[in-house]
Amino acid sequence: MRTSIATVSLSGSLTEKLTAAARAGFDGVEIFENDLLACPLTPEEIRARCADLGLTVDLYQPLRDVEAVPADVFARNLRRARHKFELMRRLGADTVLVCSSVDPCAVDDDALAAEQLADLADLARDSGVRVAYEALAWGRHVSTYDHAWRIVEAAGHPALGTCLDSFHILSRGSDPKGIEDIPGEKIFFLQLADAPLLAMDVLQWSRHHRCFPGQGGFDVAGLVRHVLRTGYDGPLSLEVFNDVLRQAEAGPTAVDARRSLLVLQEAVGAAEPPPAVVPTGFAFAELVTPDAAPLAGLLDALGFARTARHRGKPVDLWQQGEARILVNTAAAARRDGTRLAAVGLESPDPAGAARRAEAMLAPVLPRRRAPGDAPLDAVAAPDGTELFFCSTRPGGWRSDFEDVPHAPAAPSVRRVDHVALTQPWHHFDEAVLFHRGVLGLRAEDSVDLADPYGLLRSRAVSNADGGVRIALTVGAAPTDDTAHAQHVALATDDVVAAARRFRDAGGRLLPIPANYYDDLAARYEFADGELETYRELGILYDRDAHGVLRHCYTRTVGRVFFELLQRDGGHRGYGARNAPVRLAAQHAAGTP
Ligand SMILES: O=C(O)c1ccc(O)c(O)c1
Ligand SMILES: [Mg+2]
């Protein structure tokens, strides 16, 4: 199927938008009227630019407030339309969007609307233009797709069809099944947008909160299945009005948009990309640091031993149980201080995972970083974190490392439970869709976390058995180091013992205020001394329908800290209720 994107969905000048759309692989664009009015190029030059870029102009939009108006108003509307049809001839666009009127002088008269739309279609046909009539969810008299279709049907004009827009249909709660009653050839255009499920005025919702399919709460794929059953064979076109995207760079947004359509096309059976290879666990987390000593002290106190060193690079492997942390002190990697630079994902088919990633437009990284390295497939996530697809079996990445003598330690941690990655503020929706589409992970609900100096939004993605969990977080205050720290959460069977051991080995746990424990005492009943132990160690506590979560935090090194975490009874959460207390405590402790 052909794919298209409305220029309103991308930031920048019209030419920047066109370039971004073409680079991301779109076949066509909807040109938004304001983008054209503000463009110094003539319509012929825009047409030539699109042709050079391999883009068709699939829609010119919109003509507004045309129909169901008094005769003198309609005469003026036809005059305006005549100008626009001439412009479209010069632009090489053959379909115009007419959205349902919001004009206060429009009347509630379907017969008049049909008659005037047929007159408009007559004029359009003379210029080789087709009219696609769309119900705006806030239209004055026409606000549902089935109503718009009834008017189009009554008009019975070959140059008049309907434009379906998933936002207007799903935001009103209309049943999209009725789409199948419309003949496919009368659906002149299909616009797609998703949106988070918000209880708000539809106009504000539409103009500020639309997102790409798969990034919100609507069943856009379900709607598209109904449309495809009609025989519709026009483009799938993205039309997203969004405050964040207006400020984000057009290039990455266009790739994110194209990826959203690939995921959607796969879901409706219109494309067969290489199947997702879902990772089964964490092979490692890689920290880069200009100074290994503070991390070494921290890892040692957590119970890790330095077990191996890379054969060709200044990278140490620290391990206990199935938890592996790489500490990289290579000069090139050290510029930005201590941070979580890469995550190794244990994959049943690393090459297949890389093929999937490439098909889903993930930036593929070079397979071999240095001569002699085992080839390793990796992609860059939207926040720049390198994701390696690897196998910890013999002959895999581990063979690049040579064992070093180390004292055996009784492990207190079993494996990495999750990693928490902070996203650049305008890449949050993109990051969630990336991890779903590229890695085949499932997205959990989005939660808001109150930081004392801003609001964080967090959404976890995970595989089915919880072997891989990644918490994606975005902060409102872009420069705040505390809100933007990343962390590695380590799963233990006994968080009290692990925390004690850490403290006794000289580690510093994040202190938690006594008020928090008073509140816990009010919420739950504890065994004698239990709460005192938590208070002493700074252990936070939560319960869900499945079980209990107990967790505590180390101090932060650079941008990274660790969490010790014990899940009992299959607790699935991440302690969202505790996050504001943890964030406040981290601000109070400062970043050393
Ligand atoms: O918000 C609007 O005005 C508007 C315009 C054209 C569309 O296709 C649409 O869905 C909304
Ligand atoms: Mg629309």
Side-chain angles (χ1 to χ4, degrees), residues 97 134 163 165 168 191 210 239 241:
L97 182 87
E134 173 192 39
C163 168
D165 179 319
H168 296 302
Q191 296 179 316
R210 287 191 185 208
E239 188 200 37
F241 306 84

PDB file of all heavy atoms in Angstrom, residues 97 134 163 165 168 191 210 239 241, ligand 2:
ATOM      1  N   LEU A  97      -9.333  18.080   0.283  1.00  0.00           N
ATOM      2  CA  LEU A  97     -10.070  17.736   1.485  1.00  0.00           C
ATOM      3  C   LEU A  97     -11.043  18.862   1.816  1.00  0.00           C
ATOM      4  O   LEU A  97     -10.643  20.023   1.901  1.00  0.00           O
ATOM      5  CB  LEU A  97      -9.109  17.560   2.655  1.00  0.00           C
ATOM      6  CG  LEU A  97      -9.807  17.148   3.940  1.00  0.00           C
ATOM      7  CD1 LEU A  97      -9.944  15.646   3.984  1.00  0.00           C
ATOM      8  CD2 LEU A  97      -9.073  17.630   5.159  1.00  0.00           C
ATOM      9  N   GLU A 134     -14.900  15.217   4.729  1.00  0.00           N
ATOM     10  CA  GLU A 134     -14.507  14.608   6.005  1.00  0.00           C
ATOM     11  C   GLU A 134     -15.328  15.192   7.150  1.00  0.00           C
ATOM     12  O   GLU A 134     -15.463  16.415   7.251  1.00  0.00           O
ATOM     13  CB  GLU A 134     -13.018  14.907   6.254  1.00  0.00           C
ATOM     14  CG  GLU A 134     -12.503  14.481   7.623  1.00  0.00           C
ATOM     15  CD  GLU A 134     -11.115  15.066   7.936  1.00  0.00           C
ATOM     16  OE1 GLU A 134     -10.853  16.236   7.587  1.00  0.00           O
ATOM     17  OE2 GLU A 134     -10.305  14.335   8.532  1.00  0.00           O
ATOM     18  N   CYS A 163     -13.657  11.291   3.059  1.00  0.00           N
ATOM     19  CA  CYS A 163     -12.333  11.091   3.650  1.00  0.00           C
ATOM     20  C   CYS A 163     -12.563  10.595   5.065  1.00  0.00           C
ATOM     21  O   CYS A 163     -13.298  11.223   5.831  1.00  0.00           O
ATOM     22  CB  CYS A 163     -11.559  12.415   3.676  1.00  0.00           C
ATOM     23  SG  CYS A 163     -10.059  12.349   4.704  1.00  0.00           S
ATOM     24  N   ASP A 165     -11.072   9.692   8.764  1.00  0.00           N
ATOM     25  CA  ASP A 165      -9.956  10.081   9.623  1.00  0.00           C
ATOM     26  C   ASP A 165     -10.133   9.334  10.941  1.00  0.00           C
ATOM     27  O   ASP A 165     -11.139   9.522  11.640  1.00  0.00           O
ATOM     28  CB  ASP A 165      -9.986  11.607   9.829  1.00  0.00           C
ATOM     29  CG  ASP A 165      -8.872  12.113  10.742  1.00  0.00           C
ATOM     30  OD1 ASP A 165      -8.591  11.456  11.755  1.00  0.00           O
ATOM     31  OD2 ASP A 165      -8.321  13.185  10.447  1.00  0.00           O
ATOM     32  N   HIS A 168     -11.130  11.367  14.159  1.00  0.00           N
ATOM     33  CA  HIS A 168     -12.508  11.860  14.299  1.00  0.00           C
ATOM     34  C   HIS A 168     -13.479  10.720  14.602  1.00  0.00           C
ATOM     35  O   HIS A 168     -14.438  10.891  15.342  1.00  0.00           O
ATOM     36  CB  HIS A 168     -12.939  12.581  13.020  1.00  0.00           C
ATOM     37  CG  HIS A 168     -12.125  13.808  12.746  1.00  0.00           C
ATOM     38  ND1 HIS A 168     -12.021  14.850  13.632  1.00  0.00           N
ATOM     39  CD2 HIS A 168     -11.360  14.148  11.682  1.00  0.00           C
ATOM     40  CE1 HIS A 168     -11.229  15.779  13.139  1.00  0.00           C
ATOM     41  NE2 HIS A 168     -10.810  15.385  11.958  1.00  0.00           N
ATOM     42  N   GLN A 191      -7.102   9.064   6.463  1.00  0.00           N
ATOM     43  CA  GLN A 191      -6.117   9.714   7.334  1.00  0.00           C
ATOM     44  C   GLN A 191      -6.045   8.962   8.656  1.00  0.00           C
ATOM     45  O   GLN A 191      -7.075   8.609   9.228  1.00  0.00           O
ATOM     46  CB  GLN A 191      -6.527  11.163   7.607  1.00  0.00           C
ATOM     47  CG  GLN A 191      -6.524  12.004   6.350  1.00  0.00           C
ATOM     48  CD  GLN A 191      -6.964  13.425   6.640  1.00  0.00           C
ATOM     49  OE1 GLN A 191      -7.927  13.635   7.374  1.00  0.00           O
ATOM     50  NE2 GLN A 191      -6.263  14.381   6.058  1.00  0.00           N
ATOM     51  N   ARG A 210      -2.703  14.484  19.101  1.00  0.00           N
ATOM     52  CA  ARG A 210      -2.649  13.326  18.200  1.00  0.00           C
ATOM     53  C   ARG A 210      -1.235  12.749  18.218  1.00  0.00           C
ATOM     54  O   ARG A 210      -0.254  13.454  18.456  1.00  0.00           O
ATOM     55  CB  ARG A 210      -2.980  13.753  16.777  1.00  0.00           C
ATOM     56  CG  ARG A 210      -4.431  14.080  16.536  1.00  0.00           C
ATOM     57  CD  ARG A 210      -4.643  14.225  15.043  1.00  0.00           C
ATOM     58  NE  ARG A 210      -5.982  14.656  14.710  1.00  0.00           N
ATOM     59  CZ  ARG A 210      -6.574  14.347  13.549  1.00  0.00           C
ATOM     60  NH1 ARG A 210      -5.936  13.633  12.635  1.00  0.00           N
ATOM     61  NH2 ARG A 210      -7.792  14.777  13.306  1.00  0.00           N
ATOM     62  N   GLU A 239      -1.921  11.901   9.635  1.00  0.00           N
ATOM     63  CA  GLU A 239      -2.229  13.314   9.858  1.00  0.00           C
ATOM     64  C   GLU A 239      -2.226  13.550  11.363  1.00  0.00           C
ATOM     65  O   GLU A 239      -3.184  13.232  12.064  1.00  0.00           O
ATOM     66  CB  GLU A 239      -3.599  13.684   9.275  1.00  0.00           C
ATOM     67  CG  GLU A 239      -3.849  15.175   9.327  1.00  0.00           C
ATOM     68  CD  GLU A 239      -5.329  15.532   9.224  1.00  0.00           C
ATOM     69  OE1 GLU A 239      -6.170  14.799   9.778  1.00  0.00           O
ATOM     70  OE2 GLU A 239      -5.629  16.548   8.591  1.00  0.00           O
ATOM     71  N   PHE A 241      -1.526  16.217  14.481  1.00  0.00           N
ATOM     72  CA  PHE A 241      -1.314  17.554  15.051  1.00  0.00           C
ATOM     73  C   PHE A 241      -0.793  17.313  16.460  1.00  0.00           C
ATOM     74  O   PHE A 241      -1.479  16.658  17.253  1.00  0.00           O
ATOM     75  CB  PHE A 241      -2.620  18.342  15.154  1.00  0.00           C
ATOM     76  CG  PHE A 241      -3.400  18.445  13.865  1.00  0.00           C
ATOM     77  CD1 PHE A 241      -4.258  17.425  13.459  1.00  0.00           C
ATOM     78  CD2 PHE A 241      -3.306  19.570  13.061  1.00  0.00           C
ATOM     79  CE1 PHE A 241      -4.984  17.521  12.285  1.00  0.00           C
ATOM     80  CE2 PHE A 241      -4.037  19.681  11.881  1.00  0.00           C
ATOM     81  CZ  PHE A 241      -4.871  18.657  11.493  1.00  0.00           C
TER      82      PHE A 241
HETATM   83 MG    MG B   2      -8.309  14.705   9.075  1.00  0.00          MG
END
